[in-house]
């Protein structure tokens, strides 16, 4: 890591002109790699940047990363592609892109921490109008997360035009009775890989899973709230804006879906 460098005129550094992707690994095996690489391709298409590698070449890069680094029970690979190094000018340059990838070991939350859930606040969404692109320009997300930390909670739920969209780095779900609702895909939120898994598992568990608009008032009346991501998996929100969500502890549907997600993950990666 100490030997890796990027030129100061890289457009990722100068303009934030690039995209990224994060893929979890469990015991050295990538989780839903094809779906993550497909989302990376959509992000690259969204900023009109040619993918520097084929799917097979990406697999080779990622397999080499695993081979070169000590195995750990749970890791993530971070991939970043920028438009490359060029004199500072807004116009697209005709230069090779910059590609960077690294492994990070992450500590899975303890069962006790999962059972406590987390606290969150709602904040105004200050991001741009292409939140479906996984762009490296994350300053609004950084500010939202810090606003949450300053308030003594773990996460911020972003609200735009009265609708709750997603967390600063997670997708949002609300449970009412046996209904599971998540905001619809579109330019206002990132299409999560874990989000898709949760929708499928919820339907298989007998929930009425669907997409739909969520309001702050709706969140207050929820039986359960969840945030999902590759790192968080399924995380229960037990307090919102200072008040309890439902009974104030992770609910029964969270228990069911969390167990089903663990089983799905173990089956998919063969552990």
């Amino acid at each position: 890591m100490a030997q890796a460098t990027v030129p100061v005129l890289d457009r990722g550094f100068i303009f934030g002109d690039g995209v990224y992707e994060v893929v979890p690994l469990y015991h050295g095996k990538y989780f839903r790699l094809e779906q993550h690489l497909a989302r990376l391709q959509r992000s690259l298409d969204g900023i009109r940047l040619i993918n520097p590698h084929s799917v097979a070449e990406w697999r080779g890069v990622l397999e080499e990363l695993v081979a070169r680094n000590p195995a750990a029970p749970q890791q993530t690979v971070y991939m970043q592609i920028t438009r490359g190094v060029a004199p500072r000018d807004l116009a697209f340059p005709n230069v090779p892109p910059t590609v960077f990838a690294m492994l990070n070991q992450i500590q899975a939350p303890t069962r006790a921490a999962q059972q406590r859930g987390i606290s969150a606040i709602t904040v105004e969404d200050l991001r741009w109008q292409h939140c479906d692109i996984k762009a490296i320009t994350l300053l609004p997300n950084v500010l939202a997360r810090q606003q949450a930390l300053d308030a003594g909670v773990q996460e911020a739920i972003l609200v735009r035009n009265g609708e709750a969209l997603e967390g600063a780095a997670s997708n949002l779900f609300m449970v009412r009775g046996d209904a599971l609702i998540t905001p619809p895909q579109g330019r206002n939120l990132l299409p999560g890989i874990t989000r898709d898994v949760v929708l499928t598992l919820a339907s298989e568990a007998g929930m009425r899973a669907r997409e739909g608009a969520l309001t702050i008032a709706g969140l207050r009346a929820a039986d359960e709230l969840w945030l999902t991501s590759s790192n968080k998996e399924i995380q229960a929100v037990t307090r919102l804006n200072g008040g309890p969500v439902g009974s104030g502890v992770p609910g029964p549907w969270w228990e069911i879906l969390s167990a089903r997600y663990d089983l799905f993950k173990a089956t998919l990666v063969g552990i």
Side-chain angles (χ1 to χ4, degrees):
M1 187 72 73
Q3 294 176 318
T5 61
V6 177
V8 294
L9 285 181
D10 186 88
R11 289 176 64 96
F13 176 65
I14 296 294
F15 294 125
D17 185 0
V19 300
Y20 73 104
E21 187 59 51
V22 179
V23 187
L25 295 89
Y26 301 105
H27 299 276
K29 296 183 179 180
Y30 287 102
F31 181 76
R32 305 201 91 203
L33 180 58
E34 293 81 3
Q35 290 85 349
H36 282 279
L37 290 178
R39 185 172 64 178
L40 175 64
Q41 184 63 62
R42 290 195 299 270
S43 294
L44 289 166
D45 292 343
I47 67 167
R48 297 169 57 188
L49 181 56
I50 295 175
N51 197 327
H53 294 308
S54 67
V55 170
E57 288 169 341
W58 274 118
R59 282 185 174 278
V61 170
L62 299 181
E63 288 170 3
E64 184 175 354
L65 268 178
V66 172
R68 285 173 173 260
N69 289 273
Q74 190 162 328
Q75 296 172 286
T76 60
V77 61
Y78 175 88
M79 299 178 285
Q80 177 170 303
I81 303 97
T82 77
R83 210 174 300 275
V85 181
R88 190 182 185 280
D89 185 4
L90 294 179
F92 290 176
N94 184 21
V95 296
T98 299
V99 180
F100 171 67
M102 66 177 177
L103 280 176
N104 287 315
Q105 184 172 343
I106 58 176
Q107 188 67 41
T110 65
R111 187 62 181 169
Q114 290 179 319
Q115 292 288 352
R116 286 194 300 271
I118 65 167
S119 299
I121 58 172
T122 53
V123 302
E124 182 183 358
D125 187 357
L126 301 177
R127 300 171 300 166
W128 67 329
Q129 295 182 13
H130 287 278
C131 299
D132 54 324
I133 297 174
K134 204 168 175 69
I136 61 175
T137 44
L138 292 174
L139 181 57
N141 306 66
V142 170
L143 296 174
R145 174 63 62 78
Q146 189 59 47
Q147 187 175 343
L149 296 177
D150 291 344
V153 303
Q154 290 80 40
E155 184 59 298
I157 294 174
L158 306 175
V159 178
R160 182 180 299 189
N161 299 325
E163 292 188 11
L165 299 173
E166 58 185 347
S170 54
N171 287 118
L172 173 66
F173 288 84
M174 180 182 78
V175 178
R176 290 291 303 273
D178 66 348
L180 180 66
I181 308 168
T182 190
Q185 293 194 67
R187 288 187 173 183
N188 286 335
L189 59 87
L190 184 71
I193 306 300
T194 303
R195 172 187 183 274
D196 293 343
V197 174
V198 170
L199 285 171
T200 299
L201 294 178
S203 295
E204 293 173 353
M207 299 190 79
R208 294 182 292 116
R210 65 178 177 87
E211 294 184 337
L214 300 180
T215 64
I216 295 179
L219 299 186
R220 292 195 191 102
D223 296 327
E224 302 181 36
L225 291 179
W226 308 338
L227 295 172
T228 67
S229 71
S230 294
N231 289 343
K232 295 181 177 69
E233 298 183 352
I234 309 174
Q235 194 168 48
V237 178
T238 53
R239 294 188 65 82
L240 179 68
N241 293 336
V245 174
S247 62
V249 297
W253 280 115
W254 176 84
E255 293 279 0
I256 292 170
L257 264 293
S258 182
R260 283 177 173 259
Y261 188 88
D262 286 344
L263 180 60
F264 174 84
K265 178 177 64 177
T267 301
L268 197 65
V269 300
I271 58 174

